[in-house]
Amino acid sequence: QVQLVESGGGLVQAGGSLRLSCAASVRTFSSYAMGWFRQAPGKEREFVAAIDWSGLGTIHADSVRGRFTISRDNAKNTVYLQMNSLKPEDTAVYYCARRNQRTYYAKSDGYTYWGQGTQVTVSS
């Protein structure tokens, strides 16, 4: 069974930085693409970033490109989301997710396993 556990969320002022981590429980972590999504109160879940199995291929949503960076360490079964220049509109619960494919994908319906989420709150 795949378990994904996010950490690193918290309260930060606008302009600040956070790094989210998502640890996976299975040794096959390195075989699959991973993604980050977020959901703000009253809004639908939206795509943030995704990374392929190797870590060489990434994609970021327009709203975060240039500020957020997804990466992975397959030796540690962990995917990261470095978030810089945070804005109040980045406030949301952030979820990591795993595909059953090697290639990255920017829609939530392409992901099979989901973490419980970590809250990120950006104050103005």
Side-chain angles (χ1 to χ4, degrees), residues 1-17:
Q1 184 173 352
V2 177
Q3 289 187 322
L4 303 173
V5 180
E6 301 98 335
S7 61
L11 174 64
V12 63
Q13 288 188 333
S17 298

Side-chain angles (χ1 to χ4, degrees), residues 40-94:
K43 295 187 177 182
E44 293 188 352
R45 189 172 297 186
E46 66 171 351
F47 169 76
V48 176
I51 188 166
D52 71 6
W53 68 280
S54 70
L56 297 178
T58 63
I59 185 172
H60 297 78
D62 289 345
S63 59
V64 306
R65 189 173 297 120
R67 300 188 298 122
F68 292 10
T69 303
I70 189 171
S71 62
R72 67 190 297 161
D73 185 338
N74 286 341
K76 296 182 178 180
N77 287 1
T78 301
V79 63
Y80 304 97
L81 185 68
Q82 178 66 44
M83 304 187 297
N84 299 328
S85 302
L86 282 160
K87 304 176 181 180
E89 51 263 44
D90 294 319
T91 295
V93 178
Y94 283 71

